[in-house]
Each structure stands twice: as C-alpha cells, then as structure tokens.
Amino acid sequence: MPQPLQTAVAGATGYAGFELARLLSHHPRLAKPLLFTREASAAGELADFYPQISGNGKLRVYPFHWQTLSDRGVELLFLATPHETSRTWAPEALNRGLRVIDLSGAWRLKEEAQRAVYGLPELRGGQIAKSKLIANPGCYATSIIVALAPLLAADVIDRDSGIVCDSKSGVSGAGKQPTETTHFVEVADNLSAYGVFTHRHLGEILEQLQLKDDELTFTPHLLPIPRGILSTIYVRLRQPATSADIESIYASAYSEKPWVRLFGTRLPQIRYSLHTNFCDVGFNLSADGKRMVIVSCLDNLMKGAAGQAVQNMNLMFGWEEREGLS
Amino acid sequence: MPQPLQTAVAGATGYAGFELARLLSHHPRLAKPLLFTREASAAGELADFYPQISGNGKLRVYPFHWQTLSDRGVELLFLATPHETSRTWAPEALNRGLRVIDLSGAWRLKEEAQRAVYGLPELRGGQIAKSKLIANPGCYATSIIVALAPLLAADVIDRDSGIVCDSKSGVSGAGKQPTETTHFVEVADNLSAYGVFTHRHLGEILEQLQLKDDELTFTPHLLPIPRGILSTIYVRLRQPATSADIESIYASAYSEKPWVRLFGTRLPQIRYSLHTNFCDVGFNLSADGKRMVIVSCLDNLMKGAAGQAVQNMNLMFGWEEREGLS
Amino acid sequence: MPQPLQTAVAGATGYAGFELARLLSHHPRLAKPLLFTREASAAGELADFYPQISGNGKLRVYPFHWQTLSDRGVELLFLATPHETSRTWAPEALNRGLRVIDLSGAWRLKEEAQRAVYGLPELRGGQIAKSKLIANPGCYATSIIVALAPLLAADVIDRDSGIVCDSKSGVSGAGKQPTETTHFVEVADNLSAYGVFTHRHLGEILEQLQLKDDELTFTPHLLPIPRGILSTIYVRLRQPATSADIESIYASAYSEKPWVRLFGTRLPQIRYSLHTNFCDVGFNLSADGKRMVIVSCLDNLMKGAAGQAVQNMNLMFGWEEREGLS
Amino acid sequence: MPQPLQTAVAGATGYAGFELARLLSHHPRLAKPLLFTREASAAGELADFYPQISGNGKLRVYPFHWQTLSDRGVELLFLATPHETSRTWAPEALNRGLRVIDLSGAWRLKEEAQRAVYGLPELRGGQIAKSKLIANPGCYATSIIVALAPLLAADVIDRDSGIVCDSKSGVSGAGKQPTETTHFVEVADNLSAYGVFTHRHLGEILEQLQLKDDELTFTPHLLPIPRGILSTIYVRLRQPATSADIESIYASAYSEKPWVRLFGTRLPQIRYSLHTNFCDVGFNLSADGKRMVIVSCLDNLMKGAAGQAVQNMNLMFGWEEREGLS
C-alpha cells in the first residue's frame, strides 16, 4: 500500500465543504484530511458545526494558513470557497506546488481558465488525469451536460428550434448563509423561478456543449426540499428516432461510466439519487419520435459538488473512479 | 334583493368539492348549498370530514338522490365527481332542467361536448353567460391557456420551433384517494415528472389554443407541497419584442379581468396565489428579445377548480365576477 | 353607521404585522389602516413586500413618524415591533392620547406593566374593554392558558405532581429575520427543542395561571412547517374524573366564547386552525380518570398574534368579538 | 475468515425490510441476503420497488417459501412482517432450527414471549448473545427506554409524580401502505397527536422499565417529515441533582456503548441521527435541580428498526456491535 495522500479542504464548514470533509475522511487512499474555515475565528471541531458526525472520531477545523499546508505536507487542496476567494487562492496554491480542485465557479469558463480543466469526468476523463487545476462543474450544469452531451455528439438534436432546460434545485444549492431566499417560511409550500436567461451556470453549459447563446434556454427553480436537482430537458430531433436509438446513444457514452445510471424510458426522481454520486438519466419520446423529454437527477452536494470532486481526485491520481464514493 | 339561488354540489367531500362547498356557503347570492357524497354510506356533517370548518354553522352532506334535488328546488348542480360519473350525471341533470358546472374532464373536449362550453371566463365569458353546461377547465390547462392565449392571438409566437410547458403541481391535484403516489414518504424531499406526452390535460390545451400536436410539449411534475401550480412556459418569438410590447399584449387581454394578475417582468411564485382565485402571470425576455420565458401560477383548488367554478356561476347568472371570491 | 376608526400598525412588514395589516384593511369598522415600518428606508407598497396581496387595492407603508399619526387622526396604535421598541413607543403613544395594543412581550408581566391589561379575551374580557394599553399574549402562552385556565379555576388539577406543557410551533413564530435557526436546510426534515426551562413565555404563563415556578414545565419545539402551534399538556387530577366532567368545565368557560372550539375527546390538529382565529381544545383521560392529556392548537399569526389583537380591539371599542375575523 | 452467514428477510419491500436488505447486503460477515415478499405476486428486483439502489448489483425478491430457506441454507431469518404473520412464522422458523429476529410487536411482551429476548442491546446484551428469538424493540420504545433506563436504575426519578414521554415521529413509522393518515395533503403543514393512553408501544415501555401503569404517560405525534423520532421526556427527581450527576449516570451506562451518543446538556435534534444507528440523548435541568427534561432522538428505520436488528445480529453471533452499521 502506498503512502496515503494528504489533502486539505478550505471552506469545510459550508454545505459542500462539509460533505467533502465527510467523504475524504472515509476515503481508503487518504490520510485524515486537513480542514479549514475561511475565517480565523470559526475554528473548532467539525462536530460543533455538524453534530450529526459526532461519535465518529475527531475532525478539527483550523483557520486557513498557507504555512499549515506546507507544514502538514498537503499535496491536494480542495477549495469549497466563494468565487472571489478561489480566484486568488488557486494560483497561489499552484505556485506552491499543490494540485487544486476548485468547487466554485471561478475557473470554469475558458477565458478565465487556460490552466484549468473542466472536471466533468464522463467527458474529460483523460485531461483530468493530467491536470493540476480542476474546475469542478456547477450542480445544474452537471445535470444538463450529462444528459445532452451524447445526443449532441451524435448530432441527433435539431439545434435551430432550441433546447429548453427547466431545472429545479433543493435549497442547499443556495449555500449555508441565511438570507431571505433561504428562510424556511419563504421556501416552504412554494416554488419560484429565478435567474432566467442570466444564471451563472449558463455560460459553462453553453461552452461545454459548444452551443450558441440562443440554442439553449435554462431556467432554474427553487424547490422546498433540502437537496437534489431535477432537470427536465426538451429537444426536437433532426430525424424521428426510436427509444432503442436513444438508449443506444446513451449506452455508448455511459455504459462504462460508474456514476451515470441510465433509466431508459422510465424517469428518474430526485430521491433516487439523494446521498449518492449518481447522475440518473431517463427520457420519453413523442409518438412520432420527433420530440424528446429527458429527465436528469442528481444530489447537488454529491455528483453536483463534493462527490464529483472526489471522483475527479480519483482520476487525477489514477485510482478507481468509485473509490470512497460507494 | 332577489330570491337566493339554490345550488348543489355532488362530490362535496373531495378536495375540490370541499373547497367549493366552503365558497358557496359564503356566497352572498346563494341559499345554503345542498351537499352530496357520491356514496350512500358517507353522509354526515361536512365538519366530520373537514374539522377545520367546525364552529361555522352546520353543513350536512347527504347521499346523492335526484329526488332530493327536485324536492329542494336546486337550479344549478356542481359536479365534483370522477369523469365517468359526470359523463352520465350531467345529461341527466340537463334533462331535469338543471344547469350544470362540471369540474371533471368529461366535457372539456369538443368531440365529447357539443352542448358544453369550456368554462375559462377570461376567454369565453360571453358563451358562459348563455350556457346550460359548463366544462370547468383543468388546473394545469388554466395556468397554461391564460399565459399563452393573448400571445397566440397577437400572433407573436413562432409555433414552428415549438412551445414548451413545464408545469409543477402540489399533491391535492392528485385527489383525496390515498395511493402510493400520494404517500407522504414518496412525495416528501422529492420531485418527479409524469404523464410526459400523455397527460389528459394536453388535449384541452391544444384544442383551446388551436395548436397542432407537435406545436406544444407539456410535462407535469409532482411537487412536495399540498397545493399550487407553477407553469414555466418557453416560446420563441416571430420578431424580436420588448418587454413593453409583451406587457401591452397582456394588458389588452386582461386589464379588465379581475382574476388575472399581471406581474410584468417580475415573476410570480406559487405562494402568492395560494387561497386566492388569481392566475398570476409574469415573463422574462432574452437580451435579443427573441426568446421568452413565461411563469404562470395559481391555486389548483381555487382558480384551478372550485374558485373558477364559482367565477363561471357568477357569469352564468349575470353577477359580478368577483362575488363570493374575495 | 358611526365614523370609521383610524388605526395604525408599526412594524407592518414583519409576519405578524402583515397579517394584522391584512385583517385591519378588511375590518368593517375601520378606515384604511396606516402602515409603518420601523425604519425610514423600507417604505413602499405593502405588496412589494408581500406580492400575494397585490390586486386588492393599494396599501402604502411609511417610515414611522409620530407626526404622521397625529396628522392622520390615529386613535389606536398596534405595535408589531421588537420588545425594546415597544418599551419606549407604548408610553409615548399613551402620552399622546392614543390607545395601544402591543404584540411584543414588553408589557405582559405585572412588574413591567401596571398600566397594561393582559389581552387574553377569554379571561380578561371585562378589563380589556376599559384599557388604554393591551399586552397581546404570546402565541405559546395563549395555547396553554386557554387549555388550563378553566381546569385550574375548577381546582381539578393536582398541582403538586406538576403540569407538563410540550409545545410545537411553526417557523413564522421565530420572525422574518433570516437566521441560522430559520434556514430551510436546518429546519426541514427536523425537529428540535429549545429554550427548555428558560423560554420567555414561561413567565406570562405562570403569572396568568397563578402557578409557582415548579408547578409547570414548558418546552417549545421548532416544527418544519410555516405556521401553527400544537401544545400537548399533561396533568394529573385531584380526583378521578369522567370525560363528561371535563367537557362540562370547558363548556362553562367557553361555550359563549366565539374563538374557542371545544373538540371534547376528539383531538384537534394544527391544520384545522390554520388561517383562523380559533384556539381548538380537546382532551383524553386515562382509563382510571386520574391523568389527562390536553391538546390545544392555534395559528400563531392569528389567535397567537394578529387575530387576537383584532379580537382585543373589538372588545376595547365595544364591537362584536367576531367582527373582521370570519 | 469463516464461512459467511446466510440470512433472509421476510417482508423486504416494506420500509424497514428494505432498509434491512440494504444493510445486510453490505455487511462484511454475510452472504448476499435472501429477500422475500409476503405475497407470491410481488417478486422481482428490489430495485424495481426502490430504484434508488439500482446500479449497485442485483438483489432479487422472491415469494416466501419455507423450502427456499432450507434449500439455501438460511441460518438467521429476519421478520419484517405484520404482527399476525410474525406470530405464526417465528415458531415455525424456530422449529425448523433457524434463529429469528422479529421486527414486529408480536413477541415483545412477556406474556407472549417466554422464549424471546427483548432486543435492546444496551440493556440486554448478555441475553441476546444466547437467544434464538429476538423481539426487536419498537421505535418509540427504544428512544424512551434508552433515555430512562439508567436514571431508573440509579433510582433518581420520583416515580410518584409521574413520567411524561411526548414523542414525535416521521411518517415512515406508519408503514408503506397508503392510508388517509399517510396522504401527503393530510400530513404536510400539520402535526397531530394519536393513540393517547392506548399506543401499543406503551406496554413494552412499562414492562422493560418495570413501571406501573400510572407512572408513565406516553403520547405519540405524527410529524410532517419522512423519518426520525424525537422524544421529550419529563421527570421530577427525588433529590436535587447537578448536570454532572446526571452526566455521570449516563456515562456509566453508555460510555462503552457504541450506538448511544451522549449530548450532555446540549440537546440532540432529529436530523443529527438520520441515516445512522445512533440513539442521541441530551438533557436540561431546572435551576433548582429538581426537574429534568430529556431529549432523545433516533432514526426510526435504523436504531428504531433495521439498524437495531443488525446490532442484535452482531451480538447474537459474537461480532463487534458496529459491524455493517458505520
């Protein structure tokens, strides 16, 4: 057995950071991860922030210092920090010889990120293995790109009539900071659309799928549930297709991919993917085979954030993609 | 003050029937409504089924008998019954000289319903006033038709590229009968799509909007909330438009209509319309003015069922559209 | 018809203040209420803060100024403000000749409130009619005092073995300010107890029921619902009783009270009382008639706050207790 | 490594049975478990009933036949079946030489169960190891007995003034069968008490704690969440105590027990224990040290059912108590 890898998480007390801390602390290839808050004041036991993990051994959270990272021999740094923080900390970490997986949106777009690889393992497995800096994809973006990429590659979609992506997310996607938007009374018994034509995940979706601005419309919604995403995706096909045609396209792309589950013409539901790293994909065709509705589900804190970050780490270090995620 | 009208509700113990009973019992033009179950066995006080109304005077529920209707001088019968029941009871009621408002789907499609008027007051106000049999629209259908009808009438939508209607409904829309689908544990923390390309509201939507089969795609979803519908509707425009253009089209259609609230470019949310008879409509345009996302919300038991039935009654009898609904 | 009364609400944009604004604006005895925020900056239409009321006529919210109150001839001021604000504004308002109904906890305890009457209409109807300053009771306190007062007055409870009040409240009781406690992700799928032995409603409960400290234990809990309170109350009886005995005690106290619904040995549930001003009370006795469990429910924003404030106003001005609340 | 044990689950498609199937299929000491429905008709893949586990290898569900059990060499049978079924199947299984862990209430009371051991590992670890038939405790009962047993053993509770147990449970505790009680619309936005003085877990609580009928009052409530139990327990102490006194009593009882987490004077919340096998216990004392409120939480499908069954199996076969549960 080789020496276990020393990892660190900056931002370990946020929702995605906590999920990541939990995954890393059980990963068979790793030393106990070093956990950091962004602020000096908030240090303590992780179980003080998240009592659900008490009784499972100690995980301390420290104020972030570069010196601590070098003292403790950290080789891989996960940034579960706001975009602004990631934009300065990622280059600094690279300069210090660390590898970086950034969960923020700071490095996902090409103009910002010559040195970064967009870390969607099902699409960019090869590049990820060689990368020093991985931009972990957005949660909405993952659910949409996984569903559409094989169909676009197979050129079956009529792009001219436009693709519609109607996505719905649980509240943890909005982060741990209390705001009016995340107040229980505003969210419960409700549904709301937001960020229409302007959501920041739109850019990475278009770029990764090589679509023009007006070829895809994306509307996110806030669901009254703690976690999970469901995207309902509408496309028109260039030629009438059968379910077998579509199943075959998806199978070619994903039958060897452990973290995509193909539901065929059954439709996945949010709760099937909760607390797992799966992205689930199903579809229905219209009777004439010319229109298709695709439903794609995932857990926004797992395949949409922390789980995918671990999957990226596995690829980066040449480990089996499932390790630490089952 | 004229003689108060005697009404009756068949199916008063279901969710829509109960909401209707509550509305009718407070309506200023009406005698106390006669309430019926479909079965002989289930008679009793309405407050035995719905304790929330106890303390507000007695409302008895009787087993359904035609004789009771004539004995009590009923002039208007509301059918909050399953399709099959409505299909036989509505003609029988007409034969007996009653007027009928049917909340089921039995008489909404033209082939089934030469004698019925589709009771969407904002579109068919004139016909409703003269009708003996009104087919009260489906809840999903109402949210979609109200949002689209003025735009289609103004011919601004590019039908060829297709309209997408992504609708989400609370659980009361699935009825009071306990099923696996309505079990709390299956619905909570979840979202699911169903009836893709096949939902029975699709026919009435296409027919009322005079659209061809492949011009509109409709997907309903089950939300983990008790009531409320939000439809997110995607269209492409024939010519670039400004927000002012669209606002003007909606204003022409609805500024005199008391039960449509226009939100302009703000977007309505489900909870704004709960326990009201409003259909709320807002929209956003893409930067180039060529794509539009419309959000339409209503309470599926009010504007989507019982409230709209009362609105139809008001029109039928020449009363102000707001009566008994504020 | 006499001149309509001019009222004002300070704090109209909080949850209880909004509910109050809505009730007052439909009350048949009142002029349109004057609405105030606490801060100068937040003025605007009430519908900007609560879009659900748009389409029902304009209700403007102004920054609070004493001058505005006198200019507009306000006679009755409702304070839906924090304790600290109420503690200075109530005396100022009395000095200016206004009558005051305060929804905060500032004036509920005797040591603080020589001039105030504790505004529980079912107990202090007579005093309320003559009062200038009413301390509107706490939501938890109302549910508990209504349930216990008749039994203590009839001296059937064995105080020595102690009374237990286990209360559960929806999140709106915690106010509109976003905090970690009210974050959707922290509340959903959860239940938590808080303020054990220390909650600030405990003092008013003990004082109003004339109980000693160790005779009653009160534990509030935070429920994952937006509104509503259920208190489960446990007492031991001095003598074995029958259900008829207990029903008779409650009936003597409340049969003439319009806003208490007696459920006898059926048990009320939270949803029965939502959006009403009722306090619902039911109970079960042990087989030997020596122990009793009482369940008491109400809507924390209605009978637990705004509705009760309107009920108090009705009594203060000699109007029927139901006015503006049905 | 010894031969892996062959287990079987009868009733594997119910909520507790499914949780058990999932745990057993990952347990390091076991062969793949044999899964049975109660009915012949319902056979298929477990993933057809619970799509969330698809992609994790096949788990087939068979119609129940005794012959299949002997053919496959089953040594331990879990009964996740209704009481009536367990009452006939458990003796039959014992006659056939199997060991049995029964999750129903059939064998929990002494009069019914001379041959059974009440399977609460923290109390009866020694007997469990030697037993052939284990009655797995009720979910409410576990939360209450774990909290009270050490205090009663230390004789610090004043039993004469009575113990109050106010428990709240998620809906999965009511089973998978759709009923009016479990309909989403009836449960959401609600809380209700039920089974006051009559719930079937009361008997096992009294018997295990050796309390007389009138020494403990237990009221269960239905929470609008899918899973989890919180019990709030009220006791009066024979002598004033300090928090250190109480912590010491709990520590003596549980510091070596891996599945009880002691929270001291912090209070556990339901979500801390979800998807774990922990029973979490915290408490608060009144200022005079004479009254105590204890809060006890667990996941009703884990420590309240399937997890505890696995813990019992571990003790039965001499394995470490944590195996297959972390």
Side-chain angles (χ1 to χ4, degrees):
Chain A
M1 194 73 175
Q3 181 81 1
L5 185 78
Q6 183 63 59
T7 60
V9 179
T13 59
Y15 290 139
F18 167 64
E19 201 78 29
L20 191 51
R22 189 147 64 163
L23 290 169
L24 298 177
S25 69
H26 291 99
H27 194 290
R29 301 281 188 168
L30 304 184
K32 189 192 274 199
L34 260 179
L35 307 181
F36 296 100
T37 57
R38 284 181 294 137
E39 307 85 5
S41 54
E45 291 298 320
L46 188 59
D48 297 340
F49 299 91
Y50 293 91
Q52 52 265 50
I53 61 155
S54 66
N56 293 307
K58 296 280 180 191
L59 277 172
R60 226 183 136 62
V61 187
Y62 301 93
F64 185 84
H65 289 301
W66 290 108
Q67 192 55 46
T68 317
L69 272 79
S70 20
D71 291 353
R72 302 285 289 269
V74 171
E75 292 178 61
L76 172 64
L77 174 63
F78 292 91
L79 294 174
T81 43
H83 310 201
E84 305 71 33
T85 310
S86 291
R87 214 155 274 169
T88 58
W89 288 13
E92 173 74 18
L94 294 174
N95 287 341
R96 288 167 179 268
L98 299 172
R99 298 175 95 167
V100 176
I101 297 178
D102 176 30
L103 281 75
S104 86
W107 305 100
R108 292 181 192 149
L109 298 184
K110 290 212 182 73
E111 56 177 338
E112 297 155 346
Q114 288 87 346
R115 300 157 74 189
V117 169
Y118 189 80
L120 195 68
E122 287 74 18
L123 261 69
R124 315 240 170 281
Q127 292 162 267
I128 289 163
K130 287 171 270 174
S131 174
K132 297 282 184 208
L133 170 58
I134 289 178
N136 212 54
C139 48
Y140 285 124
T142 300
S143 77
I144 290 168
I145 298 169
V146 166
L148 284 173
L151 304 173
L152 287 163
D155 201 21
V156 296
I157 293 177
D158 168 21
R159 299 177 184 205
D160 292 341
S161 58
I163 298 168
V164 166
C165 301
D166 191 280
S167 296
K168 303 90 175 171
S169 171
V171 183
S172 58
K176 207 188 171 194
Q177 190 65 31
T179 65
E180 198 185 322
T181 306
T182 62
H183 193 298
F184 185 87
V185 176
E186 309 300 313
V187 177
D189 295 341
N190 197 16
L191 183 76
S192 57
Y194 66 99
V196 185
F197 294 117
T198 63
H199 192 277
R200 61 191 162 74
H201 286 188
L202 180 58
E204 61 185 280
I205 296 169
L206 294 175
E207 216 172 82
Q208 293 299 319
L209 295 175
Q210 294 175 271
L211 292 171
K212 283 177 290 184
D213 244 44
D214 66 350
E215 290 178 334
L216 184 145
T217 304
F218 164 56
T219 304
H221 300 73
L222 190 65
L223 280 174
I225 64 175
R227 59 202 284 168
I229 282 180
L230 183 147
S231 292
T232 314
I233 302 171
Y234 300 80
V235 298
R236 293 180 168 246
L237 302 181
R238 289 158 52 89
Q239 302 292 337
T242 65
S243 295
D245 295 338
I246 304 300
E247 286 184 19
S248 153
I249 291 171
Y250 276 127
S252 302
Y254 296 134
S255 60
E256 304 299 308
K257 303 295 181 190
W259 292 120
V260 174
R261 283 192 299 203
L262 297 176
F263 275 66
T265 56
R266 283 161 62 214
L267 298 181
Q269 304 184 7
I270 277 186
R271 66 192 170 83
Y272 300 164
S273 60
L274 292 182
H275 303 284
T276 81
N277 194 49
F278 288 112
C279 180
D280 292 337
V281 181
F283 68 92
N284 281 181
L285 278 170
S286 63
D288 63 4
K290 289 160 76 177
R291 288 173 292 149
M292 180 159 58
V293 175
I294 311 156
V295 173
S296 166
C297 294
L298 54 76
D299 182 323
N300 58 298
L301 295 177
M302 289 291 295
K303 182 65 177 169
Q308 186 141 275
V310 170
Q311 193 183 348
N312 277 317
M313 175 186 68
N314 287 339
L315 289 173
M316 245 179 161
F317 288 87
W319 304 327
E320 215 279 324
E321 232 169 322
R322 279 184 199 84
E323 282 205 74
L325 287 168
S326 298
Chain B
M1 194 70 174
Q3 182 80 3
L5 184 78
Q6 182 63 58
T7 59
V9 179
T13 58
Y15 289 139
F18 167 64
E19 201 78 29
L20 191 51
R22 190 148 66 164
L23 289 170
L24 296 177
S25 68
H26 291 99
H27 195 290
R29 302 283 187 165
L30 305 184
K32 186 192 278 199
L34 260 180
L35 307 181
F36 295 101
T37 57
R38 283 181 296 137
E39 308 85 5
S41 55
E45 290 299 319
L46 189 59
D48 296 340
F49 299 91
Y50 293 93
Q52 53 265 52
I53 61 157
S54 64
N56 292 308
K58 295 281 181 190
L59 277 173
R60 223 180 141 62
V61 187
Y62 301 94
F64 186 83
H65 289 301
W66 289 107
Q67 190 56 44
T68 318
L69 271 80
S70 18
D71 292 353
R72 302 286 290 268
V74 171
E75 292 179 63
L76 172 62
L77 173 63
F78 291 91
L79 294 174
T81 43
H83 308 201
E84 305 71 33
T85 310
S86 291
R87 214 154 274 168
T88 57
W89 289 13
E92 173 74 20
L94 295 174
N95 286 343
R96 289 168 177 269
L98 299 172
R99 297 175 94 166
V100 175
I101 297 178
D102 177 30
L103 281 74
S104 86
W107 305 99
R108 291 181 193 149
L109 298 185
K110 289 210 184 74
E111 55 178 338
E112 295 155 346
Q114 287 87 347
R115 300 155 75 187
V117 169
Y118 189 80
L120 195 70
E122 287 74 20
L123 260 71
R124 315 242 169 278
Q127 293 162 268
I128 289 164
K130 287 172 271 173
S131 173
K132 298 281 183 209
L133 170 59
I134 289 178
N136 213 55
C139 48
Y140 284 122
T142 299
S143 77
I144 289 168
I145 297 170
V146 166
L148 284 173
L151 305 173
L152 287 164
D155 201 19
V156 297
I157 293 177
D158 169 21
R159 300 177 184 204
D160 291 341
S161 58
I163 299 167
V164 166
C165 301
D166 190 281
S167 296
K168 302 91 176 172
S169 171
V171 183
S172 59
K176 207 186 172 194
Q177 190 65 30
T179 65
E180 197 185 324
T181 306
T182 62
H183 193 297
F184 185 87
V185 176
E186 310 299 313
V187 177
D189 295 340
N190 196 17
L191 182 74
S192 57
Y194 66 99
V196 185
F197 295 117
T198 63
H199 192 275
R200 63 193 160 72
H201 287 188
L202 181 57
E204 61 185 280
I205 295 169
L206 294 175
E207 214 172 85
Q208 292 301 318
L209 296 175
Q210 295 176 271
L211 292 171
K212 282 176 293 185
D213 243 43
D214 66 350
E215 291 178 335
L216 185 145
T217 304
F218 164 56
T219 304
H221 300 73
L222 189 66
L223 279 173
I225 64 176
R227 58 202 284 170
I229 282 180
L230 183 147
S231 291
T232 314
I233 302 171
Y234 300 81
V235 299
R236 294 181 166 247
L237 302 180
R238 289 157 53 89
Q239 303 291 337
T242 65
S243 294
D245 295 338
I246 304 299
E247 286 186 16
S248 153
I249 291 170
Y250 277 127
S252 301
Y254 296 134
S255 61
E256 303 299 308
K257 303 294 180 189
W259 292 119
V260 175
R261 284 193 297 204
L262 296 175
F263 275 66
T265 58
R266 284 162 60 214
L267 297 181
Q269 304 184 6
I270 276 186
R271 65 191 170 82
Y272 300 164
S273 61
L274 292 183
H275 303 285
T276 81
N277 194 48
F278 288 112
C279 180
D280 292 337
V281 181
F283 68 92
N284 280 182
L285 279 169
S286 62
D288 62 5
K290 288 161 76 176
R291 286 174 293 150
M292 180 158 59
V293 174
I294 312 157
V295 172
S296 168
C297 293
L298 53 77
D299 183 324
N300 58 298
L301 295 178
M302 288 292 293
K303 182 65 177 171
Q308 186 141 275
V310 169
Q311 194 183 347
N312 277 318
M313 174 186 70
N314 288 339
L315 289 172
M316 243 179 162
F317 289 87
W319 304 329
E320 214 279 324
E321 231 168 323
R322 276 184 202 85
E323 281 206 74
L325 286 169
S326 297
Chain C
M1 193 73 174
Q3 181 80 3
L5 184 78
Q6 182 63 59
T7 59
V9 179
T13 59
Y15 290 138
F18 167 65
E19 201 79 30
L20 191 52
R22 190 147 64 163
L23 289 170
L24 297 176
S25 68
H26 291 100
H27 194 289
R29 302 281 189 169
L30 305 184
K32 188 192 276 198
L34 260 180
L35 307 181
F36 295 101
T37 58
R38 284 180 294 136
E39 307 85 5
S41 55
E45 291 299 320
L46 189 59
D48 296 340
F49 299 91
Y50 293 92
Q52 53 264 51
I53 62 155
S54 66
N56 293 307
K58 296 280 179 189
L59 277 173
R60 227 184 136 60
V61 187
Y62 301 93
F64 186 83
H65 290 301
W66 289 108
Q67 192 55 46
T68 318
L69 271 79
S70 19
D71 291 353
R72 302 286 289 269
V74 170
E75 293 177 63
L76 171 63
L77 174 62
F78 291 90
L79 294 174
T81 43
H83 309 201
E84 305 71 33
T85 311
S86 291
R87 214 155 274 167
T88 57
W89 288 12
E92 174 73 18
L94 294 174
N95 286 343
R96 288 167 178 269
L98 299 171
R99 297 175 95 166
V100 175
I101 297 178
D102 177 29
L103 281 75
S104 86
W107 305 100
R108 292 181 193 149
L109 297 185
K110 289 211 183 73
E111 56 177 338
E112 296 155 346
Q114 288 87 348
R115 298 156 76 188
V117 169
Y118 189 80
L120 195 69
E122 287 75 17
L123 260 70
R124 314 241 171 280
Q127 291 161 269
I128 289 163
K130 287 171 270 173
S131 173
K132 297 282 184 209
L133 170 58
I134 289 177
N136 213 54
C139 47
Y140 285 124
T142 299
S143 77
I144 290 169
I145 298 170
V146 166
L148 283 173
L151 304 173
L152 287 163
D155 201 20
V156 297
I157 293 177
D158 169 20
R159 300 176 184 206
D160 291 342
S161 58
I163 298 167
V164 166
C165 301
D166 190 280
S167 296
K168 303 90 176 172
S169 171
V171 183
S172 59
K176 206 188 173 193
Q177 190 66 32
T179 64
E180 197 185 323
T181 306
T182 62
H183 193 298
F184 185 87
V185 176
E186 309 299 313
V187 177
D189 296 339
N190 197 16
L191 183 76
S192 56
Y194 65 100
V196 185
F197 295 117
T198 63
H199 192 277
R200 63 192 160 73
H201 286 188
L202 180 59
E204 62 185 280
I205 295 169
L206 295 176
E207 214 172 85
Q208 292 300 319
L209 295 175
Q210 295 176 271
L211 293 171
K212 282 176 291 184
D213 245 42
D214 66 349
E215 290 177 334
L216 185 145
T217 303
F218 164 56
T219 304
H221 299 74
L222 190 65
L223 280 174
I225 64 176
R227 58 202 284 170
I229 282 180
L230 183 148
S231 292
T232 314
I233 303 171
Y234 299 81
V235 299
R236 293 180 168 247
L237 302 181
R238 289 157 52 88
Q239 302 293 335
T242 66
S243 295
D245 295 338
I246 303 299
E247 285 184 18
S248 152
I249 291 170
Y250 276 127
S252 302
Y254 295 134
S255 60
E256 304 299 309
K257 303 295 180 189
W259 293 119
V260 175
R261 283 193 297 204
L262 297 176
F263 275 66
T265 56
R266 283 162 61 213
L267 297 180
Q269 304 185 5
I270 277 186
R271 67 192 169 84
Y272 299 164
S273 60
L274 292 181
H275 303 283
T276 81
N277 194 48
F278 289 112
C279 181
D280 292 337
V281 181
F283 67 92
N284 281 181
L285 279 170
S286 62
D288 62 5
K290 288 161 77 176
R291 287 173 295 149
M292 180 158 60
V293 174
I294 311 157
V295 172
S296 167
C297 292
L298 53 78
D299 183 324
N300 57 299
L301 295 177
M302 288 291 295
K303 182 65 177 171
Q308 186 141 275
V310 169
Q311 192 183 350
N312 277 317
M313 174 186 70
N314 287 339
L315 289 173
M316 245 179 161
F317 289 86
W319 303 328
E320 214 280 324
E321 231 168 321
R322 278 184 200 84
E323 281 206 74
L325 287 168
S326 298
Chain D
M1 194 72 175
Q3 180 81 1
L5 184 77
Q6 182 63 59
T7 59
V9 179
T13 60
Y15 288 139
F18 167 64
E19 201 78 29
L20 191 51
R22 189 148 65 164
L23 289 170
L24 297 178
S25 68
H26 291 100
H27 195 290
R29 301 282 188 168
L30 305 183
K32 186 191 277 197
L34 260 181
L35 308 181
F36 296 100
T37 57
R38 284 182 295 135
E39 308 86 5
S41 56
E45 290 299 318
L46 188 59
D48 297 340
F49 299 91
Y50 293 91
Q52 52 265 49
I53 61 156
S54 65
N56 293 308
K58 296 281 182 190
L59 277 173
R60 225 182 138 63
V61 187
Y62 300 94
F64 185 84
H65 290 301
W66 290 107
Q67 190 57 44
T68 318
L69 271 79
S70 19
D71 291 353
R72 301 286 289 269
V74 171
E75 293 178 63
L76 171 63
L77 174 63
F78 292 92
L79 294 174
T81 43
H83 309 201
E84 304 71 32
T85 310
S86 292
R87 214 154 274 167
T88 57
W89 288 12
E92 173 74 18
L94 294 175
N95 286 342
R96 288 167 177 271
L98 299 171
R99 297 175 95 165
V100 175
I101 298 179
D102 176 30
L103 281 75
S104 85
W107 305 100
R108 292 182 192 147
L109 298 185
K110 290 213 183 72
E111 55 178 339
E112 296 155 346
Q114 287 87 345
R115 300 157 74 190
V117 169
Y118 189 79
L120 195 70
E122 287 74 18
L123 260 70
R124 315 240 169 282
Q127 293 163 268
I128 289 164
K130 287 170 271 174
S131 173
K132 297 282 184 206
L133 170 58
I134 289 178
N136 212 54
C139 48
Y140 285 123
T142 299
S143 77
I144 290 169
I145 297 170
V146 166
L148 284 173
L151 304 172
L152 286 164
D155 201 20
V156 296
I157 294 177
D158 169 21
R159 300 176 183 207
D160 292 341
S161 58
I163 298 167
V164 167
C165 300
D166 190 281
S167 296
K168 302 91 175 172
S169 171
V171 183
S172 58
K176 208 188 171 193
Q177 189 66 31
T179 64
E180 199 185 323
T181 306
T182 62
H183 193 298
F184 185 88
V185 176
E186 310 299 313
V187 177
D189 294 341
N190 197 17
L191 183 75
S192 56
Y194 65 99
V196 185
F197 295 117
T198 63
H199 191 277
R200 63 193 161 73
H201 286 187
L202 181 57
E204 63 185 279
I205 296 169
L206 295 176
E207 215 173 84
Q208 292 299 319
L209 295 174
Q210 294 176 272
L211 292 171
K212 282 176 292 182
D213 242 43
D214 66 350
E215 290 178 335
L216 185 145
T217 304
F218 164 56
T219 304
H221 300 73
L222 189 67
L223 278 174
I225 63 176
R227 59 202 284 169
I229 282 181
L230 183 147
S231 292
T232 314
I233 302 172
Y234 299 81
V235 299
R236 295 182 165 244
L237 301 181
R238 289 159 51 90
Q239 302 293 336
T242 65
S243 295
D245 295 338
I246 304 299
E247 286 184 17
S248 153
I249 291 170
Y250 276 127
S252 302
Y254 296 133
S255 60
E256 304 299 308
K257 303 294 181 190
W259 293 119
V260 174
R261 282 192 299 204
L262 297 175
F263 275 66
T265 57
R266 284 161 62 214
L267 298 181
Q269 304 184 6
I270 277 186
R271 66 192 170 82
Y272 299 164
S273 60
L274 291 182
H275 303 284
T276 82
N277 195 49
F278 288 112
C279 180
D280 292 338
V281 181
F283 68 92
N284 280 181
L285 278 170
S286 62
D288 62 5
K290 289 161 75 178
R291 286 173 295 150
M292 181 158 58
V293 174
I294 310 157
V295 173
S296 168
C297 293
L298 52 78
D299 183 323
N300 58 298
L301 295 178
M302 288 292 294
K303 182 65 177 169
Q308 185 140 275
V310 170
Q311 193 183 348
N312 277 317
M313 174 186 69
N314 288 339
L315 288 173
M316 244 179 162
F317 290 86
W319 303 329
E320 214 279 324
E321 231 169 323
R322 278 186 200 84
E323 281 205 74
L325 287 168
S326 296

